[in-house]
Amino acid sequence: MTTDWAALGPIDLHAHSRESDGTDAPGDVVRAAAAAGLGAVALTDHDTVSGWAEASEAARETGVALIPGVEFSAQLGPASVHVLGYLLDPESSAFVGERERIRLERLERAERMVHAIGRDYPLTWEHVEEHSAPGATIGRPHIADALVTLGIVPDRSAAFEGILHWQGGYYQPHHAPDPAAAIGIIKQAGGVAVLAHPAARGRPVMRMRALGTLVDAGLDGVEVWHRDNDEASRRVLLADAERHGLLVTGSSDYHGFGKPNRLGEHSTEPEVLAEIVRRATGWQPVLPA
């Protein structure tokens, strides 16, 4: 049966829960999507699929279509690059192995950072654990939330602009695959790969002459409509998407109250989601009854 995605309502293909660095439970992300009037939402936590089951149950309750996904953290030279993977098989051996390696690396990195910060501020690992869900991939956002609770900084933004900034003196490097490798893992798992907010902070990935390489690796699309992509960069992205035959998506990158991004502030065209679903062979959307 073919789904009429246009009839469901607006589509937001990038949202996070507390299973990674959001503040809402996975089910609450879906319920918030329903309250915002969305017809479909993708749960794309960083390097984990642990929220899929709860989000799927909420989708069946609310009638919001769920697109299960993940956001891979990758590294291209000095630049952090994120790749969204939609409808991939979470039990793919390549995906399972990589996400476990990333999880352990992130955990060790977070512990190193907390230890360093704790020498100068009253921060402990227990404080950070209080701000993450059991089994969640702990990262800098959880450290930021602990710093806020302790009154060391006023909000997450201040934490990232100061103590947690890469030049703040406490930053620690961590493992991340090359984006082409991340795309390869998503494709091996039957998923669809979309480059997330590629012009964040005004630095489009294609200015690093990398887009062609990513297309060759199997990249399916680019997230153009996102608050972190400025207007000039969006024009560049749209031109490159047309030249390479890439899908164009739009999303909020919702994190609950951890960031100002609001569900549905940018959306994806129904025909684009239909093509994502058509290409995917690893998993299926959770559709309204």
Side-chain angles (χ1 to χ4, degrees):
M1 183 178 73
T2 302
T3 301
D4 185 355
W5 294 107
L8 292 180
I11 299 160
D12 188 335
L13 292 184
H14 191 167
H16 295 274
S17 79
R18 67 185 183 194
E19 295 301 316
S20 64
D21 57 344
T23 58
D24 297 349
D28 288 339
V29 172
V30 177
R31 283 183 277 272
L38 295 180
V41 65
L43 183 67
T44 53
D45 281 319
H46 289 281
D47 310 310
T48 182
V49 297
S50 58
W52 283 17
E54 182 182 333
S56 295
E57 184 176 343
R60 297 184 187 99
E61 293 172 357
T62 61
V64 173
L66 174 70
I67 311 301
V70 67
E71 185 171 9
F72 261 108
S73 304
Q75 198 77 20
L76 183 63
S80 176
V81 179
H82 291 177
V83 184
L84 294 159
Y86 298 113
L87 301 172
L88 71 169
D89 177 5
E91 299 306 318
S92 162
S93 59
F95 178 53
V96 169
E98 184 62 24
R99 77 174 188 244
E100 179 60 16
R101 182 167 63 158
I102 289 173
R103 186 189 71 80
L104 291 174
E105 286 273 357
R106 279 181 173 273
L107 181 63
E108 292 171 0
R109 174 223 197 183
E111 289 177 332
R112 292 197 304 270
M113 290 188 69
V114 170
H115 178 71
I117 295 168
R119 289 197 291 265
D120 298 322
Y121 298 94
L123 176 72
T124 68
W125 184 248
E126 288 71 24
H127 290 136
V128 176
E129 288 184 312
E130 290 171 0
H131 291 80
S132 64
T137 302
I138 296 177
R140 286 192 299 162
H142 302 106
I143 301 174
D145 290 343
L147 292 170
V148 172
T149 298
L150 292 168
I152 297 170
V153 296
D155 52 40
R156 263 194 188 186
S157 295
F160 276 93
E161 290 167 3
I163 292 173
L164 298 178
H165 191 273
W166 68 276
Q167 291 180 315
Y170 304 104
Y171 185 86
Q172 298 286 324
H174 66 99
H175 162 78
D178 178 274
I183 291 167
I185 291 169
I186 292 167
K187 304 300 285 188
Q188 287 179 56
V192 175
V194 172
L195 198 59
H197 42 69
R201 295 174 295 281
R203 297 197 297 269
V205 167
M206 61 284 306
R207 290 181 190 167
M208 293 181 273
R209 300 180 180 178
L211 189 61
T213 300
L214 302 187
V215 171
D216 291 342
L219 183 68
D220 293 283
V222 289
E223 187 181 57
V224 173
W225 309 113
H226 185 288
R227 66 162 54 207
D228 288 352
N229 298 333
D230 62 27
E231 288 299 324
S233 296
R234 289 175 185 176
R235 289 192 292 271
V236 174
L237 288 165
L238 288 171
D240 280 330
E242 182 175 4
R243 180 163 59 252
H244 291 285
L246 295 169
L247 302 173
V248 171
T249 68
S251 314
S252 65
D253 199 359
Y254 175 73
H255 283 72
F257 61 77
K259 288 185 177 181
N261 311 44
R262 297 297 90 194
L263 282 164
E265 65 181 35
H266 294 293
S267 59
T268 296
E269 294 298 324
E271 59 270 22
V272 173
L273 177 54
E275 180 61 16
I276 289 172
V277 174
R278 188 192 70 80
R279 293 185 188 187
T281 60
W283 210 251
Q284 291 296 313
V286 179
L287 300 175

